Amino acid sequence: HSAWNGDYHLNINEQMLYWPANTVGLSEVFAPVMEFLREISSTGKLTAKEMYGCTGESSWVAHGFTDNELDTGLMGETQWSFCVT
């Protein structure tokens, strides 16, 4: 196990990394994060249905953390995990 649980944080800190990308001419850095979001939205559809009863075609949810299996449920301490993105 890694010292930091090997998780990925989906809060504002991760989002802020991409805000200036277009402004500074680095739009190509969006490709990996967009692929990540496409992949996590698949597992997020099941989480949205099971946890919140959302069944819409475009409904999905990811909480504050995920891992290498793209888990979108509640992970870690609840106070941090409910950072819904």
Side-chain angles (χ1 to χ4, degrees):
H1 294 290
S2 62
W4 64 93
N5 297 325
D7 55 10
Y8 300 93
H9 294 231
L10 304 174
N11 60 16
I12 190 95
N13 296 318
E14 191 258 345
Q15 297 164 19
M16 287 172 39
L17 293 172
Y18 296 94
W19 285 349
N22 279 335
T23 305
V24 298
L26 295 173
S27 57
E28 67 274 7
V29 301
F30 280 119
V33 77
M34 293 308 293
E35 179 61 25
F36 169 76
L37 291 173
R38 276 190 287 280
E39 290 177 12
I40 201 170
S41 70
S42 294
T43 55
K45 285 179 187 272
L46 182 59
T47 300
K49 181 179 179 183
E50 290 178 351
M51 291 188 72
Y52 304 107
C54 297
T55 58
E57 181 65 29
S58 61
S59 297
W60 67 278
V61 66
H63 293 88
F65 311 100
T66 192
D67 57 15
N68 63 340
E69 296 180 8
L70 302 178
D71 187 344
T72 54
L74 298 175
M75 298 173 66
E77 295 182 34
T78 305
Q79 66 188 21
W80 305 116
S81 192
F82 267 119
C83 173
V84 179
T85 55

